[in-house]
Amino acid sequence: MGGKMVVFISGECGDSCYYCPVSEGRFGKDQAYVNELKVSDLYDFVHESYRMNALGAGITGGDPLLHLDRVVELITILKDEFGKSYHVHLYTTGRYATNDALSELAKAGLDEIRFHPTKIQYLSAIERALKFQMDVGIEIPAIPGEEEKISNLIKWAKEKGVKFVNINELELTERNFQNLNTKGLRVSHGLAGVSGSFQTSLMVLEKFSESEISLHYCSSVYKDVVETRTRFIRTLRVSGKPYEEISGEGTSVRMLVKTNQDLSELGERRGDSYIIHPSMLDSLPMNNVTEIWLIEQLPYGQKISEKLIYPKSKNS
Ligand code: SF4
């Protein structure tokens, strides 16, 4: 969902999956986030969507349907503001997806619903959803050893006319690593993919390669790096300041120049310093400049690094 805004509507969930990747700080708490920012008002989502020039939104949690009214209101606001083509999808287990809930979501204009059926009895919710005007898909983690269970679910989905099944690489996070380790699951690569998860997906994908149902595999590397980076770059392109250089990683790089000269032609004043685009370094008048720092930060303001580049002798 690189071009989409990530709406974390609430951390509350009626399930407690041992592999749940939601962080300790978010899980179970009724606090909303948009991308990485805490929010308290539904219009904050509109603001952020403009800020990153989003093509749509993905609503996640917890289980968003625990806050159906909030979700319906948000979809209505987003569709009113950005029009029908603004694509909204929503994740749910299906536990709370009654006919009434699905009908309200469809009326509000939800384009796509993705089920993560944590229990077999939630499959009936998927069948109910298929009667409404929205795309219906399934999104599940690839748990090593569950190839047969996943295959049976795909077969079922195909028979019922479910549009797609997304299989995500199981992610090892700070919150779930103990549970996963207890089950013998370990991290397999530099970031957070669980060993064997990729192979599980591959086995399943190969089995269904001739099948009409649309199957996708999403690695945790792709999710973490590519999707997040794409979102950061979009945000900076739309809302970045002229003095920000956008790095390939989706971070903002700026130069902080400490001086008592007036450099307002070149950048923005901050106390006794100016924030200036890094490309201006060579053309900077150096008289009275005492320090120059190169600062790298995320689009939401968190500083990642700062490096003193002048005077060089102070540089570590
Ligand atoms: S349904 Fe999703 S949010 Fe809820 S416990 Fe399971 S993985 Fe976590």
Side-chain angles (χ1 to χ4, degrees), residues 165-296:
V165 178
N166 292 346
I167 307 171
N168 293 330
E169 185 173 25
L170 192 59
E171 269 177 83
L172 197 87
T173 67
E174 246 178 83
R175 181 162 160 260
N176 71 13
F177 84 91
Q178 244 171 344
N179 286 345
L180 294 183
N181 274 348
T182 310
K183 290 184 183 278
L185 300 167
R186 304 272 188 269
V187 72
S188 73
H189 53 67
L191 283 154
V194 165
S195 189
S197 186
F198 170 69
Q199 288 77 0
T200 296
S201 320
L202 207 64
M203 275 166 68
V204 173
L205 291 179
E206 273 170 4
K207 200 162 158 186
F208 289 90
S209 59
E210 301 292 313
S211 168
E212 309 92 75
I213 191 160
S214 174
L215 292 180
H216 305 277
Y217 169 69
C218 188
S219 79
S220 64
V221 177
Y222 182 83
K223 246 185 152 53
D224 285 3
V225 179
V226 183
E227 288 190 353
T228 310
R229 186 170 60 195
T230 308
R231 207 172 64 238
F232 283 176
I233 291 175
R234 285 185 80 85
T235 305
L236 285 169
R237 282 207 182 122
V238 178
S239 320
K241 298 273 174 50
Y243 53 72
E244 287 181 303
E245 184 176 272
I246 307 174
S247 77
E249 300 306 310
T251 58
S252 141
V253 183
R254 74 265 308 273
M255 203 161 65
L256 183 135
V257 181
K258 287 197 177 174
T259 178
N260 58 11
Q261 291 179 80
D262 180 3
L263 296 182
S264 44
E265 295 263 300
L266 300 178
E268 201 174 289
R269 194 182 176 104
R270 293 276 171 85
D272 63 347
S273 310
Y274 285 86
I275 310 284
I276 292 173
H277 196 277
S279 64
M280 304 297 294
L281 180 61
D282 290 341
S283 49
L284 202 64
M286 292 301 286
N287 38 320
N288 298 330
V289 169
T290 52
E291 283 178 11
I292 302 178
W293 293 82
L294 211 53
I295 295 173
E296 185 179 8

Side-chain angles (χ1 to χ4, degrees), residues 22-36:
V22 180
S23 70
E24 197 69 55
R26 290 192 183 194
F27 188 77
K29 303 187 175 70
D30 188 17
Q31 169 66 55
Y33 292 80
V34 57
N35 298 328
E36 283 69 25

Side-chain angles (χ1 to χ4, degrees), residues 13 15-17 19-22 27 61-63 93 116 118:
C13 183
D15 286 73
S16 53
C17 311
Y19 51 78
C20 180
V22 180
F27 188 77
D63 194 331
T93 58
H116 166 213
T118 48

